[in-house]
Amino acid sequence: MSKTSKLTIGVSVASGALLAAWLLTGTRKEATKKIISKSTSTLKGSMKKVSNKVYDDSEVHYV
């Protein structure tokens, strides 16, 4: 990897960590928890709607 790509990855990881720290401090902490819990419950609900269809092809097909 080049120095530029390493620097870009480092800056993006650091900015993500700063954003997470900012969101989880002070009065924003409760609001952030509510948003995350709402999103996970929505995601869990959408995952339950997807049915697992299993295709069982037990016959052997020769070409």
Side-chain angles (χ1 to χ4, degrees):
M1 268 201 271
S2 67
K3 289 182 181 180
T4 307
S5 61
K6 288 180 185 178
L7 180 66
T8 304
I9 292 170
V11 168
S12 62
V13 168
S15 64
L18 285 173
L19 177 63
W22 180 75
L23 286 173
L24 296 174
T25 56
T27 58
R28 293 174 300 278
K29 185 175 185 176
E30 292 302 319
T32 304
K33 284 183 180 180
K34 287 179 185 177
I35 290 171
I36 290 173
S37 65
K38 181 181 172 185
S39 299
T40 55
S41 65
T42 305
L43 182 63
K44 286 180 183 177
S46 66
M47 294 294 287
K48 288 180 182 177
K49 291 179 184 176
V50 175
S51 62
N52 292 333
K53 295 182 180 180
V54 177
Y55 180 72
D56 184 25
D57 190 13
S58 59
E59 294 182 27
V60 178
H61 299 283
Y62 293 101
V63 178

